[in-house]
Amino acid sequence: MSSVPQAPGDTGFTSARKRRGDAIFAGLSLSAGVTILVVLFLVAAFLVWQAMPAITASPEEVRGGQGLVHYIAPLLFGTVVAAVIALVVGTPLAIGIALFISHYAPRRLASLLGYIIDLLAAVPSVIFGLWGFYVFGPWLMPTQKGLIEYLGFIPLFGGPASPKSMLVTGLVLAIMILPIMTAVNREVFLQTPRLHEEASLALGATRWEMIKQAVIPFAKSGIISGAMLGLGRALGETMAVAIILSASARFTPVITSSANPGTIAGDIALQFPESSGMDVNTLIASGLVLFFLTLLVNMFARWIVSRRSEFSGAN
């Protein structure tokens, strides 16, 4: 029988050590994945256990006296509205900033802008909240009054205008999610195969046409992933929303007045320190709803990314 020739310097001991290292790394990776699943299950089990008294309680015992659904539904609605405003405003800005940094700006300016964007991620949310309350909200008042005056026929815009409106909250959240979305988009744009870009330019395309033909199709999955990361941050934001938003337990499509539905995270932050007994169980039940909402958003994002990856430029 002929034996496979070994490379110079390769020994059976070295191969065994490599195999042992691969086995250790595979075991550590598997352990990390299983640990994440176990922690996720334990968190869900704890929330369900603590929320069960509020779920099974009579409507009169729940905060508000009208039942758990009546209490959580406006908060869920406000959470979704604030996150959608942030996503609609933040996604185009993040894509534009990332494209400018990766394909338009000079190298030194691109590095400086990258540092500034990364620095925004280090600003505490309470700072954004105070800035939105004292600076951005009052500054946006003329714009909100103009929207009410000229676009008041649209249900989204109604008065009286307020610096503590859902629009102000959503725009502040859009600024807060910009760093993570921009960072993801920038890295994805920079990974576009150089040959794809050069081929598009060689066929006579302008830089913008090259971006539409080569960069955007390649980066669609990454753009969706960045948007979902930003959406998750917006859904769970607490302090900025609690400082800015003027919350009330009502459904309303108006985003320019002070009659806003609250958000789940902001309500928990404001009510939890003074709550006890059934009120705590009610707040944990609302946190359970936010947990499953975030989980569904991430599962939906993974499904979209897996579908888009089959048609992306990476393949």
Side-chain angles (χ1 to χ4, degrees):
M1 295 179 62
S2 61
S3 59
V4 179
Q6 294 182 346
D10 188 15
T11 63
F13 176 75
T14 303
S15 300
R17 186 170 56 184
K18 289 182 178 179
R19 288 194 295 270
R20 190 180 304 112
D22 292 340
I24 293 174
F25 179 77
L28 290 175
S29 301
L30 178 62
S31 301
V34 172
T35 300
I36 292 174
L37 293 177
V38 171
V39 170
L40 188 65
F41 173 78
L42 291 177
V43 170
F46 170 79
L47 291 176
V48 172
W49 173 49
Q50 291 292 324
M52 193 58 63
I55 295 174
T56 58
S58 61
E60 295 77 14
E61 296 176 343
V62 178
R63 181 192 294 271
Q66 294 181 303
L68 190 63
V69 174
H70 187 274
Y71 179 78
I72 295 179
L75 299 175
L76 179 61
F77 176 75
T79 301
V80 173
V81 170
V84 168
I85 294 174
L87 193 65
V88 169
V89 175
T91 301
L93 286 176
I95 294 175
I97 295 171
L99 282 175
F100 179 76
I101 293 175
S102 61
H103 287 82
Y104 285 94
R107 185 180 298 273
R108 291 185 178 179
L109 180 59
S111 300
L112 177 62
L113 290 176
Y115 291 140
I116 293 175
I117 294 298
D118 294 338
L119 185 62
L120 281 176
V123 178
S125 60
V126 65
I127 302 299
F128 280 107
L130 293 173
W131 172 77
F133 182 81
Y134 289 107
V135 179
F136 187 68
W139 178 81
L140 200 66
M141 282 293 291
T143 302
Q144 295 190 100
K145 291 179 180 178
L147 291 173
I148 295 171
E149 181 178 356
Y150 296 106
L151 298 177
F153 58 91
I154 300 177
L156 294 176
F157 308 118
S162 171
K164 303 181 70 175
S165 65
M166 184 66 74
L167 179 61
V168 174
T169 304
L171 293 179
V172 172
L173 289 179
I175 297 173
M176 294 180 66
I177 66 178
L178 267 181
I180 185 171
M181 295 174 63
T182 303
V184 172
N185 291 335
R186 179 185 62 196
E187 294 303 319
V188 174
F189 293 155
L190 290 174
Q191 291 176 9
T192 305
R194 187 64 180 172
L195 290 177
H196 292 187
E197 298 180 358
E198 293 177 351
S200 179
L201 294 172
L203 292 174
T206 63
R207 183 177 298 184
W208 172 240
E209 290 173 339
M210 178 272 293
I211 289 174
K212 291 194 297 182
Q213 295 171 0
V215 178
I216 299 298
F218 178 85
K220 280 185 177 179
S221 298
I223 292 173
I224 295 172
S225 299
M228 292 302 104
L229 286 173
L231 179 59
R233 169 75 188 275
L235 287 172
E237 179 52 42
T238 302
M239 290 309 301
V241 176
I243 292 173
I244 299 172
L245 192 63
S246 175
S248 61
R250 57 180 296 182
F251 288 96
T252 175
V254 178
I255 61 175
T256 54
S257 71
S258 59
N260 309 292
T263 65
I264 293 176
D267 182 70
I268 292 175
L270 292 174
Q271 303 295 337
F272 198 87
E274 300 177 357
S275 298
S276 61
M278 185 59 67
D279 290 344
V280 173
N281 300 120
T282 302
L283 293 175
I284 293 178
S286 63
L288 178 65
V289 173
L290 181 61
F291 174 83
F292 281 113
L293 175 63
T294 307
L295 185 63
L296 289 175
V297 167
N298 282 278
M299 292 174 61
F300 179 68
R302 293 292 301 176
W303 177 72
I304 293 179
V305 170
S306 63
R307 284 178 55 86
R308 291 301 314 174
S309 62
E310 300 176 3
F311 310 102
S312 68
N315 294 322

